[in-house]
Structure formats: C-alpha cells, structure tokens
Amino acid sequence: MEKIGDNGMKIKHLITLAILPFTLISCGNNDISDIWSEIGFEPLNATINEPNQENYDFSKIRNIIVMIGDGMGYNHVEAGSYFKGSPLCFADESNPDWTYHALVCTDSLTSQGFTLDTTKSLINPIENPTLYDDTPSPYGKDQATSITPYTDSAAAGTALATGKKTTNSRLGMGILGESYDNLVEIAHDLGKKTCVISSDELVGATPSAYLSHISERNQRDQIIKAHATSKADLIITKKPSEWKDNAATSYTNLYKNNNWDNICYSLSDLSMDKNKQICLPDTISATKDRNLPTLKESTIFALDYLDNEEEGFFMMVEGACIDKRAHSNLADEEMIELMAFEETVYETYLWAKGRDDTLIIVTADHETGGLYFDGTPTKSTVLQKMKYLSYNHSRSRVRMDVFGDISAFTSKYATYLSDTLYGRPYWDNTYIFNLCAAYL
C-alpha cells in the first residue's frame, strides 16, 4: 500500500514537486512530459510512470487568464451562490463552457509538517478542527516565527505562479533563496504579452508572486523596486502607501529607467498604444464609483489592450479583498467583494465565449476564516447563516474551475491527475502552473 501523507496525497510526490526545478521555457509549445519524468513525478493512483505517449495538440490556445479569488474557499463560493440566488458563473456546472471542475490542495511547505485528519471533511472546517486554528497570521514576521498550519498568500501565490512549493512569506523563491521562473516571465520569453491586475496594493503577496523574487513578503520597498524589472507589460493595482512624496518621485524615476512608458494613477490615463504601463489608483473599488476603477473595468481594459498581440497573452487577475473581509469575519462586506470578483469573471467569460483560443482558470490561493453555515442558508438568510471559526487562513481545500478545452492536458497526463476528492478531480495547487505552462 502506498504511504499517504496528511493531505491525502503521496508524500514523495509533493516533496518532489516542492524542491526540484520545473523549468518550462525551453519546452516550446509545449511538451512537459520529459520535465515530469526528469523530476520523478509519481502517479497518484496508478502503477505506470510515464505519461500517455499519444500526440496531443496544445497549440490552439493563445491566451491564458488566471483569476484568483483570494481567500475564496469552497464554502465561500457556496455562500456567493446563495447570495446571488444562482450559481456563480464559474461554478455553474450545468454550463458546458466551463469544462473542468476540481478541488485543490493549497498547503505550503510550512503547513505540511502539521497533522491533518483526512478522515473528516477537507472542505467544511466545522466538521474538521485540524483544518484551522488560532495561530496568528505570519505577516511581517521572519521565517523563524512564521510557523503556521496553513499557507500564507506568498507561498500559495508562488505555487500558482511558479509550480513550486515554498515556505510561508517567500515570493517566487525557494527555501535556499533560489529564484523560480514565474508564468509572467515564461510567457514574456515566449513572445506573449503579460499582465497582472489586483485589487490589492502593488506589494500584495499574490501579484508579487507573479512579478518578483523576494525572501520576505514584508520587504515592501524592495518589492516595489523589484517590480520595476518585471517582465509584465501591464500592471494595475492599488497604489502602495510608500508611493508618495519624495519616494514617489524616486520610484517613478526607477520605473522610467526600466522602460516603463506610462506610469499613471487613473485607468483613463492608460493607453492602447504604449508598451509597458503601470496604473496605481488610490483603490480598486468593489462597487461602481465614477472616480475609482473597479476590478471589472480594469480587466476590460486589459483584455482589449492584450488582445492585439499575435502570439497571445498571459494575464493574472486577483480579487484580493474577499480575503481581507473574511479575515475580519464580515460576511456582508465579503459578499460585496465576492460579487465584484464574480462580475469580473463573468465579463471575462463573455469576452472569451465563442473563442477556442482562450483558457480561463478560476481558483483561490487558500481559504480564509474557516467559513461554515449555521444551518441551511437561503438567498434571504445566507448572511445570517455564514459563520467563521477563525480570523486567519485555513487548510480547507478550494475550487478550480476552467473555461476552455484542456482535454489535451488532462488526457496526456491522466496518470498524474487521477486523484479524486468527493467525486471531483483533486489537484495540488502547483498543477495549475503546470496546466498554464503546457499551453503557453
């Protein structure tokens, strides 16, 4: 019998993926079978050790859009569907445009040392106390004091952006300080346009995992400076508090010296004609405000801007404030943020609908708040039924929902994607990087 780790996956498998390099730039378009073979990727529920050797066509896909609801666990999506009165667009499994639905493990290397009871629910924390605890979030602390059973957004973002497991607080870096290539860098080097959008600040952990390589997520000044050398063509995030007065002039000069053509603070000041642009409004609003851009408006501009590129594009969009409201256990405000994210996903879906050259991958970096329902909710009672067990992240598994045809990937690598949880495919979060990289 195979030895099963606390997270329900083979220990060798996760450790191998976490530690060894996974570089895809040289793979062209885009055979990752030799990479998986090289690192000794062990099948989860199969006895063979090689991927299916038939020929599969990955070339049709030009555009890849990853949309991350920060903190958006499985129960958060359920709550949003009750609140809306119908399934969130990406969670509507009756819509054949959304072709693949999975559950995802978000554990970091830090969290893997903690016991997890896999005989109890992995998506409903009220049924499984080992999914959460009251350990304070590690923000602003060094590695020696950042030991928590759950991932933080830095490690989770790194897994999604680079395909590598790391310890909490690290951005695009391994436990020995080595830098990992991220999807923005890989896509750029393959001739694609690239974009990062977030309702968080420029220094937020998720956007930073796609833009830089930093050993500690609290090194805000270093992160701002590192982003100046990013290979992104377009960045839209909230302006960080450091970007003011004399520091703003210093940062602006640094970005100009690194060939950023347009540094602006309003969505209306972005241009369809300039090559490298960064827009830093005071905030990115969840609701329509004539003076503030929304996540949806930012994404609409980016889609038009990026779609002019013959080679296609890679874009990451993050709804960051779902997490922030869940940290505060504010159910009503969390639903406002979740609806803003869902509207952004829906607008992106409408843009891509009818195309066969685009993937939209909707997921979360982790769950926040240990959300559960006190009884069966309805549209009118869901806010009262939403209860939180924690002010922090949890190890509850999250969703992944895909628009577009990924059958080439799932067929070719079926050996490695055979694990299931509650009747759904069960992925590690690093596989989402693998999926994106295969189609770049």
Side-chain angles (χ1 to χ4, degrees), residues 15-26:
I15 291 176
T16 299
L17 281 182
I19 296 175
L20 294 180
F22 200 161
T23 303
L24 295 175
I25 292 177
S26 62

PDB file of all heavy atoms in Angstrom, residues 15-26:
ATOM      1  N   ILE A  15       6.798  16.310  -2.073  1.00  0.00           N
ATOM      2  CA  ILE A  15       8.153  16.767  -1.770  1.00  0.00           C
ATOM      3  C   ILE A  15       8.954  16.945  -3.050  1.00  0.00           C
ATOM      4  O   ILE A  15       9.704  17.904  -3.220  1.00  0.00           O
ATOM      5  CB  ILE A  15       8.848  15.784  -0.814  1.00  0.00           C
ATOM      6  CG1 ILE A  15       8.177  15.847   0.566  1.00  0.00           C
ATOM      7  CG2 ILE A  15      10.322  16.091  -0.695  1.00  0.00           C
ATOM      8  CD1 ILE A  15       8.723  14.843   1.556  1.00  0.00           C
ATOM      9  N   THR A  16       8.788  16.029  -4.004  1.00  0.00           N
ATOM     10  CA  THR A  16       9.498  16.145  -5.278  1.00  0.00           C
ATOM     11  C   THR A  16       9.117  17.426  -5.987  1.00  0.00           C
ATOM     12  O   THR A  16       9.968  18.187  -6.439  1.00  0.00           O
ATOM     13  CB  THR A  16       9.166  14.937  -6.174  1.00  0.00           C
ATOM     14  OG1 THR A  16       9.592  13.753  -5.518  1.00  0.00           O
ATOM     15  CG2 THR A  16       9.883  15.045  -7.508  1.00  0.00           C
ATOM     16  N   LEU A  17       7.827  17.700  -6.096  1.00  0.00           N
ATOM     17  CA  LEU A  17       7.388  18.913  -6.776  1.00  0.00           C
ATOM     18  C   LEU A  17       7.857  20.157  -6.041  1.00  0.00           C
ATOM     19  O   LEU A  17       8.157  21.168  -6.646  1.00  0.00           O
ATOM     20  CB  LEU A  17       5.868  18.933  -6.869  1.00  0.00           C
ATOM     21  CG  LEU A  17       5.259  18.079  -7.971  1.00  0.00           C
ATOM     22  CD1 LEU A  17       3.750  18.251  -7.959  1.00  0.00           C
ATOM     23  CD2 LEU A  17       5.808  18.443  -9.329  1.00  0.00           C
ATOM     24  N   ALA A  18       7.916  20.087  -4.733  1.00  0.00           N
ATOM     25  CA  ALA A  18       8.234  21.270  -3.947  1.00  0.00           C
ATOM     26  C   ALA A  18       9.689  21.674  -4.077  1.00  0.00           C
ATOM     27  O   ALA A  18      10.013  22.852  -4.070  1.00  0.00           O
ATOM     28  CB  ALA A  18       7.915  21.008  -2.475  1.00  0.00           C
ATOM     29  N   ILE A  19      10.582  20.715  -4.206  1.00  0.00           N
ATOM     30  CA  ILE A  19      12.001  21.017  -4.076  1.00  0.00           C
ATOM     31  C   ILE A  19      12.723  21.116  -5.416  1.00  0.00           C
ATOM     32  O   ILE A  19      13.586  21.953  -5.615  1.00  0.00           O
ATOM     33  CB  ILE A  19      12.684  19.951  -3.199  1.00  0.00           C
ATOM     34  CG1 ILE A  19      12.101  20.026  -1.774  1.00  0.00           C
ATOM     35  CG2 ILE A  19      14.180  20.124  -3.172  1.00  0.00           C
ATOM     36  CD1 ILE A  19      12.619  18.954  -0.855  1.00  0.00           C
ATOM     37  N   LEU A  20      12.356  20.295  -6.385  1.00  0.00           N
ATOM     38  CA  LEU A  20      13.138  20.226  -7.601  1.00  0.00           C
ATOM     39  C   LEU A  20      12.696  21.254  -8.628  1.00  0.00           C
ATOM     40  O   LEU A  20      11.551  21.665  -8.660  1.00  0.00           O
ATOM     41  CB  LEU A  20      13.042  18.820  -8.202  1.00  0.00           C
ATOM     42  CG  LEU A  20      13.682  17.730  -7.339  1.00  0.00           C
ATOM     43  CD1 LEU A  20      13.530  16.382  -8.007  1.00  0.00           C
ATOM     44  CD2 LEU A  20      15.155  18.020  -7.094  1.00  0.00           C
ATOM     45  N   PRO A  21      13.622  21.686  -9.519  1.00  0.00           N
ATOM     46  CA  PRO A  21      13.288  22.696 -10.519  1.00  0.00           C
ATOM     47  C   PRO A  21      12.242  22.186 -11.491  1.00  0.00           C
ATOM     48  O   PRO A  21      12.140  21.016 -11.767  1.00  0.00           O
ATOM     49  CB  PRO A  21      14.639  22.937 -11.224  1.00  0.00           C
ATOM     50  CG  PRO A  21      15.668  22.466 -10.268  1.00  0.00           C
ATOM     51  CD  PRO A  21      15.042  21.323  -9.531  1.00  0.00           C
ATOM     52  N   PHE A  22      11.479  23.143 -12.052  1.00  0.00           N
ATOM     53  CA  PHE A  22      10.448  22.800 -13.013  1.00  0.00           C
ATOM     54  C   PHE A  22      10.443  23.898 -14.063  1.00  0.00           C
ATOM     55  O   PHE A  22       9.575  24.749 -14.087  1.00  0.00           O
ATOM     56  CB  PHE A  22       9.100  22.722 -12.314  1.00  0.00           C
ATOM     57  CG  PHE A  22       8.061  21.941 -13.063  1.00  0.00           C
ATOM     58  CD1 PHE A  22       6.951  21.448 -12.411  1.00  0.00           C
ATOM     59  CD2 PHE A  22       8.196  21.699 -14.413  1.00  0.00           C
ATOM     60  CE1 PHE A  22       5.984  20.742 -13.076  1.00  0.00           C
ATOM     61  CE2 PHE A  22       7.227  20.993 -15.096  1.00  0.00           C
ATOM     62  CZ  PHE A  22       6.126  20.506 -14.421  1.00  0.00           C
ATOM     63  N   THR A  23      11.460  23.925 -14.935  1.00  0.00           N
ATOM     64  CA  THR A  23      11.643  24.993 -15.896  1.00  0.00           C
ATOM     65  C   THR A  23      11.060  24.582 -17.232  1.00  0.00           C
ATOM     66  O   THR A  23      11.409  23.545 -17.778  1.00  0.00           O
ATOM     67  CB  THR A  23      13.145  25.314 -16.075  1.00  0.00           C
ATOM     68  OG1 THR A  23      13.678  25.655 -14.807  1.00  0.00           O
ATOM     69  CG2 THR A  23      13.328  26.468 -17.044  1.00  0.00           C
ATOM     70  N   LEU A  24      10.170  25.431 -17.776  1.00  0.00           N
ATOM     71  CA  LEU A  24       9.461  25.071 -18.985  1.00  0.00           C
ATOM     72  C   LEU A  24       9.807  25.966 -20.170  1.00  0.00           C
ATOM     73  O   LEU A  24       9.314  25.750 -21.261  1.00  0.00           O
ATOM     74  CB  LEU A  24       7.954  25.152 -18.737  1.00  0.00           C
ATOM     75  CG  LEU A  24       7.431  24.139 -17.726  1.00  0.00           C
ATOM     76  CD1 LEU A  24       5.969  24.404 -17.473  1.00  0.00           C
ATOM     77  CD2 LEU A  24       7.613  22.735 -18.233  1.00  0.00           C
ATOM     78  N   ILE A  25      10.644  26.967 -19.974  1.00  0.00           N
ATOM     79  CA  ILE A  25      10.907  27.910 -21.053  1.00  0.00           C
ATOM     80  C   ILE A  25      11.435  27.203 -22.296  1.00  0.00           C
ATOM     81  O   ILE A  25      11.099  27.538 -23.413  1.00  0.00           O
ATOM     82  CB  ILE A  25      11.916  28.988 -20.586  1.00  0.00           C
ATOM     83  CG1 ILE A  25      11.257  29.870 -19.522  1.00  0.00           C
ATOM     84  CG2 ILE A  25      12.389  29.842 -21.739  1.00  0.00           C
ATOM     85  CD1 ILE A  25      12.158  30.908 -18.939  1.00  0.00           C
ATOM     86  N   SER A  26      12.256  26.191 -22.099  1.00  0.00           N
ATOM     87  CA  SER A  26      12.868  25.517 -23.238  1.00  0.00           C
ATOM     88  C   SER A  26      11.953  24.498 -23.892  1.00  0.00           C
ATOM     89  O   SER A  26      12.343  23.838 -24.833  1.00  0.00           O
ATOM     90  CB  SER A  26      14.146  24.806 -22.778  1.00  0.00           C
ATOM     91  OG  SER A  26      13.833  23.822 -21.806  1.00  0.00           O
TER      92      SER A  26
END
